Amino acid sequence: MDGISSIFLSVFIFVLTILWLKTNKRLYNDIVSPFNILYWSWVFPFLISYFRISGFQSTPAPWMEVFVVSITLIMAAISLTPAVLGAERDHHNILWTLKAFYRSANFKLVLFIFFCVTFGLKVAAEFGDGVVPLIEYMDGTTIDSGLHFVGKGSKLQVIGAGFVVAALFSWFGFLASDKRGEKVIYLLLSATPIVFGIAKTSKLDIFEVVLYYFIAFYYWRRFSGTKVYFARAFVILTILGSGMALLTTVRLNVAEVNLATLVFDANWPEFVIYPFDEILSVLYGYTALNFDNLYRFLARSDSEYHLGSSVFRPLFSMLMSGDIPRQMTEGVDMYGFIDSAVGTFIRDVYFEGGPGLCIFAAILYSTAINYIYYRFRRGGGSTFLVTYMFFAFPWTWLVFQNAFGSLSIYVNMFYAILLVNIGLRIVKPRKAANRQTNSIGQGKEAM
């Protein structure tokens, strides 16, 4: 893109960003609302892709751009409905409930057992062969840049994937506990999946858990009336994002695939020096470049559909037939020019059922997350909080793949809801007993 076009595009993105942020603040005043997440995880990368930073990029057919814009408008329109349907209500019940959970020895015992079980199965599934990808890459003993995928398809992950849930509730314990010793223990437990992600050199593992922690921390501060320092949060998230980007550089360099700047053929100005060019190349290559991969896939896609490969894939997984969807993609070039860049959720859904299913999926997913957000916003309890958190991850992942088509999302959602309901069953009898004691005490005072 030439200089003048770049300036016009930059101005347009700047103006749209300001308008979107102001709209979100006016309607929701919530930085992790579906409407706001949609902009940063989908709209912004889509607009950035028009800078054509990579030499691999080319101009797509007009109908493809119209198709993507139409899908975007559908999701944006549905994301405005929670504000139209009603104003936000008080959420102090969530704080009270979670604090009560971590005052209960029985709930802490349940959480500890769940943590140990999921931790053990996670280790067995992903490190059972004794291979630690980070060490392998640092020692230069392997040229396989896909070691981070090892164990992801293991049946042990049906329960082992719940390790993320156990870690999230450990993070809730860190936020809720008033005892310094307990806070340290909970913090160490919640840091475990991040260490796992680093050892696996897996950005996905780190991103998922950090997203959950950030949403939990944000709402905890917001509901308790504590000021949220957005600038500080932005700096922390930027550092984490840069670190995750460099994990990819570690994999690429030791595999003799060259630097990410060369892999994505990124053309940065001369003042963008190492390691910033690497960080920007990975971020651009794994987000904005996905749209070009999508266009290439649409250009050569045939009319044959593959029902069950994406939207309906969880149904096959529930029936322990996950190999069937995987076989549908065998021998199919799902990538445009480089395996590192995927093709957004549209590519996956289009492969399954064409443009009609893409529109259906956009409506389905947008309606699901915004309905849960609406119930949560209207005073829903901790059940709706954790449900929304686990829906937020595939919503942020739209620019990569169709994470809504992964059974683990719904399994983890089930585990989280189960833990909340176990906690409620433990806490409610105590609450009823306290009320009865208070009423007896008041009766005696009246006598």
Side-chain angles (χ1 to χ4, degrees):
M1 177 176 284
D2 58 59
I4 297 178
S5 299
S6 297
I7 293 174
F8 277 110
L9 178 59
S10 300
V11 172
F12 176 78
I13 293 176
F14 177 78
V15 172
L16 181 62
T17 301
I18 296 301
L19 291 175
W20 200 290
L21 293 177
K22 285 185 176 294
T23 302
N24 180 72
K25 183 174 180 60
R26 181 181 179 85
L27 296 180
Y28 299 111
N29 193 29
D30 183 354
I31 64 174
V32 290
S33 68
F35 182 73
N36 200 44
I37 291 176
L38 179 65
Y39 182 76
W40 295 108
S41 65
W42 180 260
V43 178
F44 186 75
F46 173 65
L47 295 174
I48 291 296
S49 68
Y50 282 93
F51 281 110
R52 312 291 185 203
I53 299 297
S54 172
F56 290 120
Q57 291 180 275
S58 58
T59 303
W63 74 266
M64 298 178 185
E65 296 176 297
V66 172
F67 181 57
V68 174
V69 171
S70 300
I71 295 292
T72 302
L73 292 176
I74 290 173
M75 296 189 293
I78 296 176
S79 296
L80 292 172
T81 55
V84 176
L85 295 176
E88 186 174 11
R89 293 178 179 175
D90 184 78
H91 297 282
H92 287 297
N93 61 319
I94 296 178
L95 292 180
W96 184 93
T97 300
L98 291 175
K99 287 181 178 180
F101 286 176
Y102 296 94
R103 286 194 294 265
S104 168
N106 290 334
F107 180 79
K108 288 188 283 189
L109 177 61
V110 170
L111 178 58
F112 177 73
I113 293 173
F114 182 68
F115 188 98
C116 291
V117 170
T118 55
F119 174 82
L121 292 175
K122 185 79 170 178
V123 172
E126 299 194 17
F127 296 100
D129 57 359
V131 176
V132 180
L134 182 63
I135 296 177
E136 296 290 318
Y137 292 141
M138 298 299 289
D139 289 345
T141 55
T142 181
I143 59 173
D144 182 3
S145 61
L147 290 179
H148 56 299
F149 291 119
V150 174
K152 295 297 184 182
S154 170
K155 287 182 170 56
L156 295 176
Q157 294 283 19
V158 173
I159 299 177
F163 179 53
V164 173
V165 181
L168 172 60
F169 276 79
S170 299
W171 179 249
F172 276 130
F174 168 75
L175 296 174
S177 180
D178 296 324
K179 300 178 181 178
R180 180 175 298 179
E182 284 189 359
K183 290 182 80 71
V184 172
I185 293 174
Y186 284 129
L187 182 61
L188 292 175
L189 292 177
S190 60
T192 308
I194 298 177
V195 175
F196 264 49
I198 295 173
K200 289 284 290 187
T201 64
S202 173
K203 298 182 298 298
L204 171 61
D205 291 351
I206 300 173
F207 176 83
E208 182 180 7
V209 72
V210 169
L211 175 68
Y212 297 148
Y213 291 176
F214 176 75
I215 295 176
F217 177 77
Y218 168 73
Y219 280 131
W220 190 274
R221 303 272 293 187
R222 189 166 180 257
F223 296 162
S224 61
T226 307
K227 184 177 180 181
V228 179
Y229 295 95
F230 296 109
R232 184 184 302 173
F234 177 79
V235 171
I236 294 174
L237 291 176
T238 300
I239 294 174
L240 288 172
S242 301
M244 288 188 289
L246 288 176
L247 282 178
T248 299
T249 298
V250 171
R251 290 206 308 264
L252 294 177
N253 289 345
V254 300
E256 298 180 357
V257 185
N258 297 318
L259 299 175
T261 306
L262 300 178
V263 171
F264 296 114
D265 193 16
N267 303 306
W268 301 105
E270 293 184 359
F271 62 83
V272 182
I273 60 175
Y274 182 87
F276 301 105
D277 57 344
E278 282 295 290
I279 294 172
L280 291 175
S281 295
V282 171
L283 294 177
Y284 187 85
Y286 278 89
T287 55
L289 209 55
N290 293 340
F291 289 96
D292 201 78
N293 244 1
L294 168 64
Y295 299 144
R296 292 170 183 260
F297 177 79
L298 294 177
R300 66 178 186 278
S301 179
D302 54 31
S303 59
E304 183 181 356
Y305 297 153
H306 308 80
L307 189 64
S309 63
S310 183
V311 177
F312 299 103
R313 184 169 186 162
L315 298 179
F316 283 91
S317 299
M318 289 176 62
L319 298 174
M320 305 301 290
S321 301
D323 290 338
I324 296 178
R326 280 192 289 270
Q327 292 172 0
M328 294 179 183
T329 59
E330 290 182 358
V332 179
D333 183 12
M334 299 291 287
Y335 305 93
F337 50 89
I338 182 172
D339 292 353
S340 301
V342 285
T344 79
F345 85 104
I346 295 179
R347 179 204 63 177
D348 300 342
V349 180
Y350 194 94
F351 176 75
E352 181 177 18
L357 187 60
C358 289
I359 295 174
F360 171 78
I363 296 174
L364 175 65
Y365 297 151
S366 301
T367 301
I369 188 172
N370 280 283
Y371 172 74
I372 295 299
Y373 180 70
Y374 164 73
R375 294 294 304 272
F376 162 59
R377 191 169 180 265
R378 293 288 288 171
S382 47
T383 299
F384 283 102
L385 170 62
V386 297
T387 303
Y388 174 64
M389 291 174 68
F390 281 97
F391 263 127
F393 168 66
W395 189 245
T396 61
W397 211 249
L398 293 175
V399 74
F400 301 104
Q401 293 170 312
N402 182 25
F404 282 104
S406 173
L407 180 64
S408 63
I409 295 296
Y410 307 100
V411 171
N412 285 344
M413 196 180 300
F414 167 77
Y415 290 146
I417 294 173
L418 180 63
L419 282 176
V420 168
N421 281 274
I422 290 175
L424 291 174
R425 289 183 66 87
I426 293 173
V427 169
K428 281 184 177 179
R430 177 181 296 182
K431 183 178 179 181
N434 291 339
R435 286 179 176 175
Q436 184 176 5
T437 301
N438 292 336
S439 63
I440 294 174
Q442 292 174 358
K444 288 182 178 179
E445 290 179 1
M447 294 174 61

